[in-house]
Amino acid sequence: MKNTLMILMAACCMAIFSCKEKPAKTTAPEQPSFPVPDQVISYLPIGDLIREDIRRVDSFSAGILYKKEGGRKDSAYIDTAKFNQLAAKYFLVADLSDTAKFQQNFRQTSLMDETTELLNFIYEPKNAETTLRKAVVYIKPSLNVDKVNRVYLETESMEGDTLVQQKLTWVMEHYFIILTIKHPPKGEAVSSIEKVIWDAQSYAD
């Protein structure tokens, strides 16, 4: 899988940077977008990328810190079983489990962010029936091996008559964050933040 991903990322870089070398007729924007046709590269295996990072956490002996803010603050260390439960619940969503279905239901675009120097591969649904509303994979280009920096997801669902929006960020080898915003039919929205950290250097963040 790693060899396949390295070849895929190399093809992505070649396709995008070849686009940059073409002369522009007008002044380029600060963050130019370079669409990559589906037939040029395959969709990135987002679910597999996250599963691979989960496996690394399972073999990691240091503590896993869980933090929650919203209403009241809470902080505690959790075991790998609880970590796997949270990771699967929020990030291994059904829309990402079937690669063929994901490619059928989502469109892919890409851009090179000149500010962060990261390649952004953006996936958005072709219809409004999916819970997953957006997915972005951020990749750090390199002359040797391109590395996935993080994965960002946006979801929408209903809990009874309450709209629930979630913005989720998985930072490879460090932590993940879940921002949940609940919009009741009456009254103000209520938000909470959960953060799960397995990199000891990120405990204080």
Side-chain angles (χ1 to χ4, degrees):
M1 184 262 185
K2 291 184 178 178
N3 291 336
T4 302
L5 183 57
M6 289 173 60
I7 295 172
L8 174 60
M9 291 180 179
C12 295
C13 291
M14 291 175 64
I16 292 177
F17 288 116
S18 64
C19 291
K20 289 182 66 179
E21 292 173 358
K22 295 180 180 179
K25 295 182 179 179
T26 58
T27 303
E30 293 182 0
Q31 297 182 2
S33 176
F34 303 100
V36 181
D38 292 347
Q39 64 269 23
V40 175
I41 62 171
S42 300
Y43 283 27
L44 294 174
I46 300 175
D48 290 341
L49 292 172
I50 293 175
R51 289 188 188 93
E52 179 63 25
D53 214 37
I54 291 174
R55 283 192 286 270
R56 284 193 287 264
V57 176
D58 286 341
S59 62
F60 190 54
S61 60
I64 303 172
L65 181 62
Y66 171 85
K67 294 182 177 181
K68 184 173 183 179
E69 296 181 9
R72 65 184 181 85
K73 291 185 177 182
D74 188 18
S75 179
Y77 286 94
I78 59 175
D79 58 20
T80 54
K82 180 63 175 179
F83 166 81
N84 289 335
Q85 178 185 0
L86 291 170
K89 175 183 178 181
Y90 292 115
F91 288 89
L92 298 180
V93 294
D95 293 310
L96 298 176
S97 61
D98 188 328
T99 303
K101 187 176 180 180
F102 178 72
Q103 185 164 344
Q104 178 182 355
N105 294 333
F106 286 77
R107 65 178 62 89
Q108 174 183 257
T109 57
S110 62
L111 63 87
M112 179 66 187
D113 190 324
E114 302 292 351
T115 302
T116 63
E117 297 183 346
L118 295 175
L119 290 169
N120 299 355
F121 289 90
I122 305 162
Y123 301 92
E124 295 178 305
K126 297 176 182 178
N127 58 66
E129 297 177 0
T130 175
T131 300
L132 182 63
R133 306 307 302 156
K134 188 175 185 179
V136 185
V137 181
Y138 299 87
I139 298 175
K140 183 69 174 178
S142 170
L143 294 176
N144 297 318
V145 179
D146 296 335
K147 184 176 182 181
V148 176
N149 178 275
R150 65 185 184 275
V151 174
Y152 171 78
L153 306 176
E154 290 183 2
T155 66
E156 285 189 7
S157 60
M158 295 296 297
E159 290 184 359
D161 57 359
T162 298
L163 172 64
V164 180
Q165 296 177 312
Q166 290 188 313
K167 298 182 179 182
L168 312 99
T169 301
W170 186 292
V171 180
M172 295 293 175
E173 302 179 5
H174 294 286
Y175 57 83
F176 67 75
I177 301 174
I178 305 112
L179 168 62
T180 302
I181 307 172
K182 295 186 176 183
H183 302 268
K186 296 181 180 180
E188 297 182 355
V190 178
S191 63
S192 64
I193 298 176
E194 297 171 84
K195 187 172 183 178
V196 178
I197 311 164
W198 56 94
D199 171 35
Q201 295 181 354
S202 301
Y203 285 165
D205 292 351

